[in-house]
Amino acid sequence: MKNYLITTRSIQAILFAYPVLLLTVKGGMGTGFILLVALSVYLMFCNASSGIRQNMDRDLVLFGVSMSATIISIMLSQFYHLSANARDFDSASRFLFSIPIFLVLRETDYKVFKPLQYGLAVGAILIGFIIVISGQKMIASTYFLIHIHLGDLALMLGFLSVFSINWMQKDSHFVVILKVIGLVAGLYVSMVSGARGGWAAIPIFLLIWILLSPNFKNGLVIKLIITVAAMIFGSVVGYMTINVVHVRMDAAIHDLTAVTPDTSLGIRFQLWKAAVQLFMQNPVFGVGADGFALAMDRMADSGVVTRMAADIGKGEVHSYYFATLARYGIAGMISLALLFFLPMRMFYKASSSQYQFHRVAARMGLCVVLGFLVFCITVEMFNLKMIATFYGMTVAVLLSAATNRTVGKVAN
């Protein structure tokens, strides 16, 4: 009993700490993940005789398929190309090791999740404070994150903070204010980062909030009209009053109308075109993890991309979807669909639970999955191990909360 209490407290500490450390301490995300996986495996062995091994139900199978599909597609591609590089499995392994977290936490007392909601708010507020005192006004970044990843993750923390309102119980005014400040801080960091691709997720988050609200059917059309009007009004006001938004949107318009292809957006379009061509050459298993980078000089010589685009393409395709398409072909795209859409389906199903705890966790989970669906359009989010770790761990934690087995036994 004493060991179980210590383990539970340790899990709570990790759930609070990892959103706080995500954007502030290099290696903090990975450390929290390793500790949580270790604790989960420990609890699996401790509780093996009491039933965890018997809970190989449909949810676990679906989650297992979702989190293992990426690593399988990489293995298939390596086998096809007769190559082997353990480095290619770094990010994908984070998804795979999230499975024991889901298996164990859905059987754990649901109160163990309580610190997570505060960690989300504190994490967003802390990175907002750091960016303010750093004096950065444009393309804000940290010592280990470029502006795109910083802005997208801060935005995610902010919305998860406010989405967690009234999760465990009806929140006090102080807690609501804390979570709203978390949202404001996340929005601020996103704006100052200038990460335009992440801004496209904001309307998605608002729609999740509306469509999954308890009484969404009451006046749904009016709510949607008001939301769309508010988004348009907010976009116009933001463009006119927030300097970084004005500058970044003007830059996007300039890129779209520029004669030279070597603009920020122009280079992306070139790389995406190259990815499609490489996919057509190897449609089933792709050109391999390094195939895109190795093809850049050849494609520059043939005029498919400019020399500048080729140099950038050796490092990143600037889209997780096009990168997966070129590198791992149809097998990779199937794994990508499983990675996103299976958890999304499970969260959506849990959103109709009779328990408030499940519904709020499901809403937060949909925020994570749909947010990353948008983020991955313009950047290879999972190139960074810490971001793959954040996605895998957060989906596992929130899905284990949304399907937690102890809620009905304790609450009515």
Side-chain angles (χ1 to χ4, degrees), residues 203-251:
I204 304 296
F205 295 152
L206 294 176
L207 287 176
I208 293 173
W209 182 272
I210 290 174
L211 296 177
L212 296 185
S213 63
N215 300 312
F216 79 96
K217 292 183 179 180
N218 298 331
L220 176 60
V221 175
I222 296 177
K223 289 179 181 178
L224 290 176
I225 292 174
I226 293 174
T227 301
V228 172
M231 287 190 292
I232 295 173
F233 177 76
S235 300
V236 172
V237 171
Y239 176 78
M240 295 176 62
T241 60
I242 303 175
N243 183 56
V244 65
V245 175
H246 186 89
V247 170
R248 294 294 288 160
M249 294 310 297
D250 279 357

Side-chain angles (χ1 to χ4, degrees), residues 272 275-276 279 317-329 332-333 336-337 339-341 344 369-382:
W272 298 351
V276 172
F279 164 74
V317 186
H318 279 285
S319 170
Y320 184 64
Y321 303 117
F322 284 102
T324 301
L325 184 72
R327 292 172 181 153
Y328 304 116
M333 294 304 291
L336 188 154
L339 179 66
F340 287 131
F341 291 108
M344 187 190 307
V369 176
L370 289 171
F372 272 90
L373 266 172
V374 174
F375 298 158
C376 286
I377 294 174
T378 55
V379 67
E380 292 180 58
M381 290 296 288
F382 300 136

Side-chain angles (χ1 to χ4, degrees), residues 166-186:
N166 297 330
W167 186 14
M168 308 292 295
Q169 59 193 16
K170 184 173 176 58
D171 288 336
S172 66
H173 294 310
F174 172 79
V175 172
V176 171
I177 292 172
L178 177 72
K179 293 179 178 180
V180 171
I181 294 174
L183 172 62
V184 173

Side-chain angles (χ1 to χ4, degrees), residues 40-292:
S40 298
V41 172
Y42 168 75
L43 288 174
M44 282 176 61
F45 280 104
C46 289
N47 297 313
S49 60
S50 62
I52 281 186
R53 287 183 178 175
Q54 300 175 14
N55 291 321
M56 303 292 288
D57 62 356
R58 190 165 180 265
D59 284 345
L60 179 59
V61 171
L62 290 177
F63 185 73
V65 169
S66 172
M67 293 293 120
S68 59
T70 301
I71 210 165
I72 291 173
S73 69
I74 295 172
M75 291 173 63
L76 290 173
S77 180
Q78 287 194 355
F79 180 78
Y80 175 78
H81 292 287
L82 300 178
S83 64
N85 190 336
R87 176 176 53 85
D88 299 340
F89 296 98
D90 278 352
S91 291
S93 66
R94 271 57 178 181
F95 303 142
L96 186 67
F97 287 126
S98 297
I99 296 175
I101 296 176
F102 170 71
L103 174 61
V104 169
L105 291 190
R106 68 174 182 163
E107 307 289 342
T108 306
D109 187 344
Y110 77 99
K111 294 178 183 177
V112 76
F113 297 97
K114 188 173 184 178
L116 175 62
Q117 59 189 323
Y118 306 119
L120 294 167
V122 173
I125 294 170
L126 183 57
I127 188 59
F129 177 74
I130 291 173
I131 295 301
V132 168
I133 64 174
S134 71
Q136 299 182 74
K137 301 295 183 182
M138 185 79 67
I139 315 300
S141 61
T142 70
Y143 72 99
F144 63 96
L145 280 176
I146 64 172
H147 67 286
I148 299 175
H149 298 135
L150 173 65
D152 289 351
L153 291 176
L155 187 69
M156 178 65 68
L157 288 182
F159 271 97
L160 286 176
S161 172
V162 79
F163 272 31
S164 70
I165 290 176
N166 297 330
W167 186 14
M168 308 292 295
Q169 59 193 16
K170 184 173 176 58
D171 288 336
S172 66
H173 294 310
F174 172 79
V175 172
V176 171
I177 292 172
L178 177 72
K179 293 179 178 180
V180 171
I181 294 174
L183 172 62
V184 173
L187 286 169
Y188 170 77
V189 175
S190 177
M191 293 298 109
V192 177
S193 74
R196 297 170 300 197
W199 299 345
I202 296 176
I204 304 296
F205 295 152
L206 294 176
L207 287 176
I208 293 173
W209 182 272
I210 290 174
L211 296 177
L212 296 185
S213 63
N215 300 312
F216 79 96
K217 292 183 179 180
N218 298 331
L220 176 60
V221 175
I222 296 177
K223 289 179 181 178
L224 290 176
I225 292 174
I226 293 174
T227 301
V228 172
M231 287 190 292
I232 295 173
F233 177 76
S235 300
V236 172
V237 171
Y239 176 78
M240 295 176 62
T241 60
I242 303 175
N243 183 56
V244 65
V245 175
H246 186 89
V247 170
R248 294 294 288 160
M249 294 310 297
D250 279 357
I253 295 172
H254 173 268
D255 288 356
L256 291 172
T257 57
V259 176
T260 174
D262 288 333
T263 62
S264 177
L265 292 180
I267 288 173
R268 279 179 167 83
F269 295 151
Q270 291 182 64
L271 296 177
W272 298 351
K273 178 182 176 182
V276 172
Q277 290 195 16
L278 290 174
F279 164 74
M280 296 301 293
Q281 295 173 19
N282 300 273
V284 180
F285 298 113
V287 295
D290 298 322
F292 189 92

